[in-house]
Amino acid sequence: MSSQRERAAFIDHLKSHGHRITGERLALFDEIFEQHRHVDAEELLAALHRKGHRISRATVYRNLDLLVACGLVRKQRLGQRRYLYEHIHAGQKHDHLVCRSCGRVVEFVSPGITAMQREICRAHGFSPDHHQFQILSLCAECVAASETQPSH
Amino acid sequence: MSSQRERAAFIDHLKSHGHRITGERLALFDEIFEQHRHVDAEELLAALHRKGHRISRATVYRNLDLLVACGLVRKQRLGQRRYLYEHIHAGQKHDHLVCRSCGRVVEFVSPGITAMQREICRAHGFSPDHHQFQILSLCAECVAASETQPSH
DNA sequence: ACCACTATTGAGACAATTTCTCAATAGCGA
DNA sequence: TCGCTATTGAGAAATTGTCTCAATAGTGGT
């Protein structure tokens, strides 16, 4: 499994911070590193239950925050009501294009935009290292739908 | 008052759509057009109460949606839990830099980034006309705070 | 100005999502 | 293996926004 390195990093982080290595934590880690897309807490909870783990909702939320604190998972509100989580795949820094209507998320990489973001952050005294970037728009389907069935 | 034109447009919109011109609607309009920053529904409600209006929470939410439908107000989730509203000041199209920690919002204009956004939208089949754009990062104060008081 | 019609409002119930509480459980060091 | 205490589970609570429905108040026609 390609997440062996991250799994070890997670376990190290737990140990070095005096946290315990529990079955729930490892199951959640495995689940989110199996998903190669943006998932919310409910989906993770449901997937874990489907696989026979008896883990509670509160534990999922708590340990997602822990994974974020480890730097292994990104937690974002991508225009929708729920937080979405994605595991960080080493090196590959990308940004998000989000459909404001259906919530669909597309990742993209644009070095040019990254450079501009840094510049804008710097110009306004924001950290150029912790930025994250979203474009919210309407995907082709939702544009088509809104043209068929006009605004209201 | 500089919002006379928008106020008239609002009233016209109401009339032409068979909606009534109520005291609550005008009070809300005036309140949001007085605020030159991003406000949430609770702030607007509180401000209106402070000024002696007896308006309910539901009415504030309903009529904010109405103002959005008129194209006079923008409603956005800027990384935070609550929706933020801003009145649209004619012509001036801007994007947002948001502090992920304290929620502070700074507006910026960058024609270069706007062009790149359009290109990315087009490349992925998203509408280049309905886009909106956010950079989430940490403002100087929050960076300083997180360095003083390390991550947890 | 008055009436009747019905859109709008207010108050609180409801819904969706996330966080908190606290007794029971289970890692972990000795 | 034992004991300490971090972690968990279940459900309560908090947060934010939407919905319901009876009461109120704009509006167009007299």
Side-chain angles (χ1 to χ4, degrees):
Chain A
M1 198 182 299
S2 67
S3 57
Q4 277 313 321
R5 179 161 297 143
E6 287 84 359
R7 206 175 199 272
F10 181 41
I11 291 173
D12 280 353
H13 184 282
L14 292 177
K15 284 185 180 162
S16 66
H17 286 70
H19 294 139
R20 293 177 181 172
I21 296 159
T22 66
E24 290 82 359
R25 283 177 176 162
L26 296 179
L28 177 64
F29 174 94
D30 290 341
E31 187 57 42
I32 195 166
F33 272 79
E34 242 170 52
Q35 304 283 347
H36 295 297
R37 59 194 185 92
H38 300 76
V39 288
D40 62 47
E42 291 303 318
E43 289 176 307
L44 290 167
L45 180 65
L48 288 164
H49 283 173
R50 233 179 288 117
K51 292 180 183 172
H53 295 282
R54 281 198 288 87
I55 189 172
S56 80
R57 173 171 286 106
T59 297
V60 168
Y61 278 102
R62 279 186 294 237
N63 286 317
L64 281 170
D65 285 343
L66 187 55
L67 282 161
V68 170
C70 297
L72 292 167
V73 163
R74 197 162 10 239
K75 172 183 184 177
Q76 294 170 273
R77 243 187 229 287
L78 294 174
Q80 302 301 111
R81 184 191 292 261
R82 297 179 174 183
Y83 281 109
L84 292 182
Y85 299 84
E86 63 176 328
H87 72 258
I88 290 173
H89 36 296
Q92 183 70 303
K93 170 102 179 69
H94 60 263
D95 295 307
H96 297 105
L97 187 53
V98 184
C99 178
R100 272 200 297 222
S101 175
C102 70
R104 189 199 323 192
V105 178
V106 173
E107 301 183 355
F108 69 87
V109 178
S110 168
I113 262 187
T114 304
M116 286 187 160
Q117 284 174 70
R118 276 182 205 286
E119 196 38 57
I120 289 165
C121 284
R122 217 177 331 253
H124 294 277
F126 277 59
S127 162
D129 297 325
H130 300 80
H131 66 198
Q132 112 193 5
F133 174 66
Q134 304 174 13
I135 301 177
L136 293 98
S137 188
L138 298 177
C139 71
E141 276 95 52
C142 290
V143 170
S146 74
E147 277 162 7
T148 315
Q149 171 108 37
S151 60
H152 177 219
Chain B
M1 198 183 298
S2 68
S3 56
Q4 276 315 322
R5 180 162 294 144
E6 287 83 0
R7 205 176 200 273
F10 181 41
I11 291 175
D12 281 352
H13 184 284
L14 292 177
K15 284 185 181 162
S16 67
H17 285 70
H19 293 139
R20 294 177 181 173
I21 296 160
T22 67
E24 292 81 359
R25 283 179 176 160
L26 295 179
L28 177 65
F29 175 93
D30 290 341
E31 188 55 43
I32 195 167
F33 272 79
E34 242 170 53
Q35 303 284 347
H36 294 296
R37 59 196 185 89
H38 300 77
V39 289
D40 62 47
E42 292 302 320
E43 289 175 306
L44 290 166
L45 180 65
L48 287 165
H49 283 174
R50 233 180 288 118
K51 293 180 182 173
H53 295 282
R54 283 196 288 86
I55 189 173
S56 80
R57 172 170 287 106
T59 297
V60 168
Y61 278 104
R62 280 187 292 235
N63 286 316
L64 281 170
D65 285 343
L66 186 55
L67 282 162
V68 170
C70 297
L72 292 168
V73 163
R74 198 162 9 240
K75 172 183 184 177
Q76 293 171 275
R77 257 190 219 287
L78 294 174
Q80 303 300 111
R81 185 191 293 259
R82 296 180 175 182
Y83 282 110
L84 292 182
Y85 300 84
E86 63 176 326
H87 71 258
I88 290 173
H89 35 297
Q92 184 70 301
K93 169 109 179 67
H94 60 261
D95 295 308
H96 297 105
L97 186 53
V98 184
C99 179
R100 272 200 297 222
S101 177
C102 69
R104 189 199 322 194
V105 178
V106 174
E107 300 182 356
F108 69 87
V109 178
S110 168
I113 255 185
T114 303
M116 285 186 157
Q117 285 174 71
R118 276 181 204 287
E119 196 37 58
I120 288 164
C121 283
R122 217 176 333 253
H124 293 278
F126 277 59
S127 162
D129 297 324
H130 302 79
H131 66 199
Q132 113 194 6
F133 174 64
Q134 304 173 14
I135 302 177
L136 294 98
S137 187
L138 298 176
C139 71
E141 276 95 53
C142 290
V143 169
S146 75
E147 277 162 6
T148 316
Q149 170 107 35
S151 64
H152 176 228

